[in-house]
Amino acid sequence: MPTKSNNPTRKSWLTVNNNSDFPIQNIPFGVFLTKENIVTVGTRIGDYAIDLGALQQLNYFEGIELTDDVFMQDTLNDFISDGKKTWRLIRNRIADIFDVDNNKLKENKKHRDIVIFKMQDVEMQLPVFIGDYTDFFSSKEHATNTGTMFRDPENALLPNWLHIPVGYHGRSSTIVPSGIPVHRPNGQTLPVGETQPVFGPSKAVDFELETAFITTDANIMGENIPIDEAEDYIFGMVLLNDWSARDIQKWEYVPLGPFLAKNFASSISPWIVTMDALEPFRVASPKQDPMPLKYLQQKGNHAFDINLEVAIQPENAETLVISKSNFKYMYWTMSQQLAHHTSNGCRVNSGDMMGSGTISGPTPDSFGSMLELTWGGKNPIQMSDGSERKFINDGDTVIMKGFCQNEKVRIGFGEVSSKLLPANEMK
């Protein structure tokens, strides 16, 4: 079945700015709350949120097999479980409904008033119930930078890194949508020169520039997902700020890896951009040497050209872009991550989230964390107001954006924006 919704010449009868992340070729999926406190599954075109539950009730999805309440829920999980064929049918139908040459909804004011909302009149929610969350470590540049800092340049990459997509299981209970502030975590650290740890607010809160993919029901326990089928089980992608407390992490990570330094907060963008929408931006991955084992080998292009940027906005001061990177730099692909994740028979469910790991590029201005940008705090960043940043200060808002663009069309993710608040007082 063709992805008619990707037609780059298609125009919508809704007004869409030329630089919008959400032209009719995007059609992402999310969940929003209306002024009437109704939660609904929706999509977005330009600066308009579209109520898919209302469209379904008004029979605009006639002929597509759907359960009666699939779009009248507070998560996308059931819709995601319907599978790739249904996702594509719905995106194609939405594209047709809002096509400039289709007058059915365009000329029905009563229906338009029920279906279409201005973005400033809705409140975005977490789009899925995330049962499980895995974070990978798949940028060779990031792994090399951190290995160089913490070990030495000659042994920057550990022996397993070039053979497996390294990852760890995170905590889904503290994943929040864009706009929700995050508190500086309390934790145990070992101050420089001391032999005994202390407890208190982290002094080295960092962001991690990541993306994440959301899965559908992929397998049963004991079965694996073959590498050449993996993308069929990926619904779409979001931007991810995987907050980190570097001083807590340094003390706790031996021998079992990330724990409290990583699970206090992770922020995601609220619109899930589908793999179908990203298809025109598929590119080759970096060369993998040595060749991965057979179950991780794949042919063709499985990376995506997604421009990424990070900015810091201090309280009452000008925003400064501090990093520009790209998802195409990732050494391990999403297909390889999912194939490896299930190679032992681990079950993957609808709404599970898989983080890419920090996305760093080959140049210092493309590093994906403060740890790298300031090289552990040795090279502070000068902000527009004259202040310096080694890590993130209380009151700072971290803003991440991502978009794809070719000569025909631009689609994007919007942003994930989160303000860092002071640590809560311990009870």
Side-chain angles (χ1 to χ4, degrees), residues 341-391:
H341 200 306
T342 62
S343 61
N344 68 342
C346 175
R347 182 177 173 181
V348 170
N349 297 313
S350 173
D352 285 356
M353 189 174 99
M354 313 276 179
S356 61
T358 303
I359 302 168
S360 290
T363 57
D365 61 350
S366 63
F367 293 164
S369 65
M370 294 293 283
L371 178 69
E372 297 164 271
L373 289 165
T374 70
W375 210 252
K378 295 177 182 177
N379 306 310
I381 294 173
Q382 292 287 132
M383 302 302 293
S384 302
D385 61 358
S387 62
E388 290 186 340
R389 293 294 184 278
K390 296 180 179 179
F391 291 97

Side-chain angles (χ1 to χ4, degrees), residues 120-352:
Q120 66 257 33
D121 294 333
V122 303
E123 182 181 312
M124 297 305 300
Q125 309 293 299
L126 200 67
V128 290
F129 173 77
I130 301 168
D132 280 303
Y133 163 47
T134 300
D135 193 32
F136 286 95
F137 185 51
S138 292
S139 162
K140 188 175 182 181
E141 289 81 3
H142 174 66
T144 301
N145 288 339
T146 55
T148 298
M149 270 187 265
F150 297 140
R151 289 185 295 277
D152 64 82
E154 296 300 317
N155 298 291
L157 293 179
L158 291 171
N160 66 346
W161 199 92
L162 292 170
H163 296 276
I164 62 172
V166 174
Y168 71 94
H169 294 291
R171 180 82 181 165
S172 60
S173 59
T174 40
I175 298 174
V176 295
S178 178
I180 303 298
V182 167
H183 283 275
R184 180 179 297 273
N186 289 297
Q188 203 177 113
T189 61
L190 183 68
V192 176
E194 299 295 327
T195 58
Q196 294 298 312
V198 298
F199 187 88
S202 167
K203 296 180 180 177
V205 174
D206 199 354
F207 65 81
E208 290 191 347
L209 172 62
E210 301 193 27
T211 62
F213 65 86
I214 308 296
T215 65
T216 186
D217 304 285
N219 60 341
I220 61 173
M221 184 175 171
E223 289 186 352
N224 72 296
I225 299 172
I227 184 75
D228 57 353
E229 297 177 14
E231 283 186 12
D232 290 338
Y233 299 101
I234 299 175
F235 176 63
M237 296 177 67
V238 294
L239 303 176
L240 166 64
N241 178 1
D242 193 27
W243 294 91
S244 299
R246 299 299 184 185
D247 45 356
I248 296 174
Q249 183 180 1
K250 184 178 180 181
W251 172 238
E252 74 176 4
Y253 85 102
V254 177
L256 293 182
F259 187 34
L260 301 182
K262 292 294 191 95
N263 68 9
F264 65 96
S266 299
S267 305
I268 66 171
S269 53
W271 293 108
I272 303 176
V273 178
T274 64
M275 299 308 294
D276 273 353
L278 292 167
E279 185 63 32
F281 306 97
R282 193 181 285 272
V283 293
S285 303
K287 186 179 186 330
Q288 294 184 326
D289 184 22
M291 181 179 289
L293 296 179
K294 188 174 181 181
Y295 77 101
L296 291 174
Q297 292 174 17
Q298 56 188 162
K299 296 179 180 179
N301 296 336
H302 296 276
F304 295 86
D305 185 4
I306 305 172
N307 299 288
L308 301 165
E309 73 172 40
V310 185
I312 296 177
Q313 182 180 12
E315 211 158 25
N316 303 316
E318 188 179 338
T319 302
L320 179 69
V321 174
I322 60 170
S323 176
K324 290 190 175 183
S325 192
N326 196 298
F327 182 71
K328 68 183 179 183
Y329 298 136
M330 299 301 286
Y331 187 86
W332 294 105
T333 69
M334 293 183 288
S335 304
Q336 290 173 319
Q337 290 168 345
L338 188 54
H340 181 66
H341 200 306
T342 62
S343 61
N344 68 342
C346 175
R347 182 177 173 181
V348 170
N349 297 313
S350 173
D352 285 356

Side-chain angles (χ1 to χ4, degrees), residues 94-112:
I94 294 168
D96 287 340
I97 292 167
F98 290 92
D99 189 284
V100 69
D101 294 324
N102 189 337
N103 293 327
K104 184 178 179 181
L105 178 62
K106 179 182 178 182
E107 295 184 355
N108 191 325
K109 185 178 185 305
K110 183 179 178 182
H111 285 189
R112 288 202 319 270

Side-chain angles (χ1 to χ4, degrees), residues 58-70:
L58 294 167
N59 292 322
Y60 282 87
F61 296 133
E62 187 178 4
I64 301 175
E65 191 173 333
L66 297 168
T67 55
D68 290 343
D69 64 346
V70 69

